[in-house]
Amino acid sequence: VQLVESGGGSAQAGGSLRLSCAASGFDFDKAAIGWIRQAPGERREVIALILNKDGTTYYKDSVKGRFSISQDRDKKTHLQMDRLKPEDTAVYFCAVDDKVYYDGPFLLDVVEEWDFWGEGTQVTVSS
């Protein structure tokens, strides 16, 4: 499994950034892809995910209404981040659950369920 993230960088509060993830090496239609972040001194948290089989999406309350996860025809997964806040500053990882034994809400809560991870990309939001 290979995951390659792109995007990220720096933005002012209220601004926007877009992350992308190119994933390969697994049965795409059976998998889920998520975005997981880790702020300095904090635990990793799943903030958004998409079930590839039907496109159902799930979001953590902290990003709901501001972030949007989507996929394109090339099976790249994007995270559009709008109305950014300084507390969104973190390293963002793209991750894959390639079997999806559990439902979306469970995957949103359990970081340990995600099997494969990208290297991460830094997002910094200044006030």
Side-chain angles (χ1 to χ4, degrees), residues 1-4 21-28 33 75 94 96 116:
V1 175
Q2 188 174 23
L3 299 164
V4 180
C21 175
S24 60
F26 57 96
D27 188 334
F28 188 85
I33 295 179
K75 297 184 177 180
C94 175
V96 170
F116 304 98

Side-chain angles (χ1 to χ4, degrees), residues 1 25-33 95-101 113-116:
V1 175
F26 57 96
D27 188 334
F28 188 85
D29 292 337
K30 292 183 178 179
I33 295 179
V96 170
D97 178 357
D98 65 337
K99 298 294 191 297
V100 192
Y101 292 122
E113 187 60 24
W114 295 87
D115 304 303
F116 304 98

Side-chain angles (χ1 to χ4, degrees), residues 30-99:
K30 292 183 178 179
I33 295 179
W35 287 97
I36 300 169
R37 71 184 182 187
Q38 185 169 24
E42 301 289 335
R43 298 174 63 182
R44 292 182 178 185
E45 63 168 347
V46 185
I47 57 167
L49 69 96
I50 184 166
L51 303 181
N52 295 356
K53 63 177 182 179
D54 59 11
T56 305
T57 57
Y58 298 85
Y59 298 94
K60 261 305 195 305
D61 287 346
S62 57
V63 305
K64 199 174 292 183
R66 301 188 298 120
F67 291 11
S68 177
I69 187 170
S70 63
Q71 290 176 333
D72 61 26
R73 292 182 180 181
D74 295 328
K75 297 184 177 180
K76 270 192 173 180
T77 302
H78 307 286
L79 183 69
Q80 178 66 40
M81 304 185 293
D82 298 321
R83 292 187 284 143
L84 284 162
K85 303 177 180 180
E87 51 262 45
D88 294 320
T89 295
V91 177
Y92 285 70
F93 300 88
C94 175
V96 170
D97 178 357
D98 65 337
K99 298 294 191 297

